[in-house]
Amino acid sequence: MTASESLGKDLLGLEQLSSDQIRLILDTAEPFKEISERAIKKVPTLRGSTIVNLFFEASTRTRISFEFAEKRLSADTVNVASSGSSVSKGETLVDTARNLEAMRIDMVVIRHGASGAARFLAERIESNVINAGDGTHEHPTQGLLDMLTLRDRFGKLAGLKVCICGDVLHSRVARSNIWGLKKMGAEVAVCGPRSLLPNAIDDFGVTVFDHIEDGIQWADALNILRLQLERMHSGYIPSLREYNRVFGVSRERLARAPKDLLILHPGPMNRGVEIDSDVADGPHSVILNQVTNGVAVRMAVLYLLAGGRPELAEAAKGGGGR
Ligand code: CP
C-alpha cells in the first residue's frame, strides 16, 4: 500500500476503513510509541505543517493527546474552542474552517456535538480532516487506540472476545470499536439496559447480553462505557445507584469470571457508577495504557494523512520519512 492510497484525504470513521488500513495505522503507531519515552520527545517529521484543533465539545484526553502528537512531530498547532471564537457570535463551522484555510493550514482535527460534522467539513475544505468525535457517530482514533491496547496485551485481535458495556446508545466510542474490531476479526458483544442500546443493535452484527454477569463469563476484555448523562434528556435508567447495582463492573463480579479480564474504559469515568474504583485501578486495568497509546496512534494518523510512507515510519522517528 503506497502513501497516497493508504488512508485517503481524511479520517472520518472506522466504518469506511478496510482491515488493511486499520492494520496500517496500528503498525505505523508502533515505532512512534518510543518517541514519547525519550527525554526530548520531538522529531522534525511534520515540520512546516500547520494543524488546527477545533474542539467544539469538552475534551481532556483527545484534545491534549492530539496536541502532544502534533508537537512531538514538530507541526505548528492552533487550538480553537467555540467559546472565545467567533462561533459564539454565530459564525458557521464551514466559515470558520474556510477562514482558517485562508491563513494556509494543512489539517483540521475536529470534535463536534453533531453527528456527521466531520464529514460535512471534510467535503467542504481542502485540508485533511480528522474526526476527534462527532456526536454519537464515531470516534475513530479512540477505536484505534483501544485496538492497539488490546493487541499489545493479547498479541492479536482476530478471535478476541470484547464486550462493550454500558451506554452504547450515546457512544461514538462503541460504534468505532464495533466497526474496527469486527473488521479485524474480533468477536464483539454489547451489554447494557435495553434503554441504552440502539434500536437497530441487531444490524451491528454483535452479540447482545442483558446481564453483565453473562458478558463477564463470555469475554476476554471489557470496554466499559461512561453513562453519558449530558446526552440523556429523559429517564433512561431509574437511578445511578440502581445502574451500578445491576450493570456496574465490580471486583466481586469479576471474581466470578472464568479468567482474568482485561479492563478498558475510554474515559472520563463515572467511578462507582459503570466501574468501581478497585476495578479501574486494579491489576487488569489498561485504562492509562489506552491514554499512552492515544498519542502514538494520533502521531501515526497525522503522519499517514500528511503523506508519510508507512514503510518509512521507523526512519521518520529520526526525522525523514515523508
Ligand atoms: N476518550 C475521550 O474521548 O476522552 P475526552 O472526552 O476527554 O477527549
Side-chain angles (χ1 to χ4, degrees):
M1 196 179 292
T2 65
S4 59
E5 68 191 11
S6 62
L7 286 189
K9 172 178 165 285
D10 310 299
L11 177 65
L12 304 178
L14 299 189
E15 182 179 5
Q16 52 272 53
L17 292 195
S18 66
S19 57
D20 282 346
Q21 289 172 312
I22 292 172
R23 193 172 301 105
L24 173 75
I25 299 170
L26 301 183
D27 290 348
T28 305
E30 290 294 346
F32 282 124
K33 284 178 180 172
E34 184 265 333
I35 294 170
S36 296
E37 305 304 324
R38 296 180 185 175
I40 299 174
K41 302 172 179 53
K42 212 171 182 72
V43 293
T45 311
L46 292 189
R47 192 164 52 198
S49 295
T50 304
I51 304 176
V52 176
N53 301 311
L54 281 182
F55 275 71
F56 292 169
E57 237 192 13
S59 169
T60 297
R61 279 146 290 271
T62 313
R63 182 178 58 77
I64 294 171
S65 168
F66 264 112
E67 200 174 341
F68 278 145
E70 293 155 3
K71 285 183 163 40
R72 288 176 192 179
L73 293 173
S74 298
D76 296 316
T77 67
V78 177
N79 298 320
V80 180
S82 41
S83 65
S85 76
S86 289
V87 172
S88 63
K89 300 179 200 166
E91 185 165 60
T92 67
L93 173 62
V94 171
D95 279 339
T96 301
R98 285 193 180 137
N99 277 272
L100 294 167
E101 278 200 312
M103 296 181 234
R104 304 292 177 251
I105 61 167
D106 299 295
M107 285 193 205
V108 175
V109 177
I110 178 169
R111 168 165 291 195
H112 200 285
S115 301
R119 174 173 297 283
F120 182 80
L121 189 62
E123 288 172 352
R124 286 162 180 80
I125 66 173
E126 288 179 15
S127 307
N128 308 101
V129 174
I130 302 174
N131 181 5
D134 61 331
T136 59
H137 172 232
E138 278 224 43
H139 190 349
T141 56
Q142 180 70 45
L144 290 162
L145 73 88
D146 291 347
M147 285 191 278
L148 187 63
T149 308
L150 287 164
R151 200 177 73 165
D152 284 350
R153 288 301 164 122
F154 292 100
K156 60 172 188 164
L157 294 171
L160 210 59
K161 292 181 173 176
V162 182
C163 185
I164 301 171
C165 309
D167 185 359
V168 178
L169 179 67
H170 298 105
S171 178
R172 52 199 176 206
V173 175
R175 283 165 184 74
S176 289
N177 266 269
I178 291 170
W179 294 123
L181 285 165
K182 283 173 57 71
K183 281 173 202 266
M184 300 308 287
E187 290 182 56
V188 183
V190 296
C191 176
R194 289 282 167 163
S195 59
L196 291 177
L197 299 182
N199 286 336
I201 191 64
D202 292 338
D203 298 342
F204 285 84
V206 296
T207 303
V208 179
F209 291 116
D210 290 312
H211 301 283
I212 190 71
E213 292 81 3
D214 295 339
I216 287 172
Q217 286 295 313
W218 174 86
D220 299 309
L222 302 183
N223 199 345
I224 304 164
L225 302 173
R226 180 173 72 90
L227 276 191
Q228 298 197 29
L229 300 169
E230 74 280 14
R231 295 191 208 273
M232 295 186 193
H233 304 299
S234 59
Y236 288 89
I237 52 169
S239 70
L240 297 184
R241 179 194 276 231
E242 179 75 357
Y243 182 85
N244 178 255
R245 195 182 64 75
V246 179
F247 284 101
V249 179
S250 63
R251 193 170 53 179
E252 293 72 29
R253 284 200 161 114
L254 290 177
R256 290 194 281 275
K259 59 187 144 190
D260 291 333
L261 302 190
L262 202 70
I263 301 297
L264 297 93
H265 191 304
M269 289 184 276
N270 295 309
R271 287 173 181 263
V273 181
E274 71 266 3
I275 185 168
D276 285 0
S277 276
D278 49 11
V279 174
D281 305 326
H284 307 297
S285 167
V286 287
I287 293 170
L288 293 178
N289 305 63
Q290 291 172 264
V291 178
T292 304
N293 277 341
V295 179
V297 157
R298 288 165 181 134
M299 288 170 93
V301 169
L302 294 164
Y303 172 76
L304 292 168
L305 287 182
R309 289 167 56 188
E311 66 279 16
L312 295 185
E314 183 68 38
K317 287 164 50 183
R322 289 175 70 194

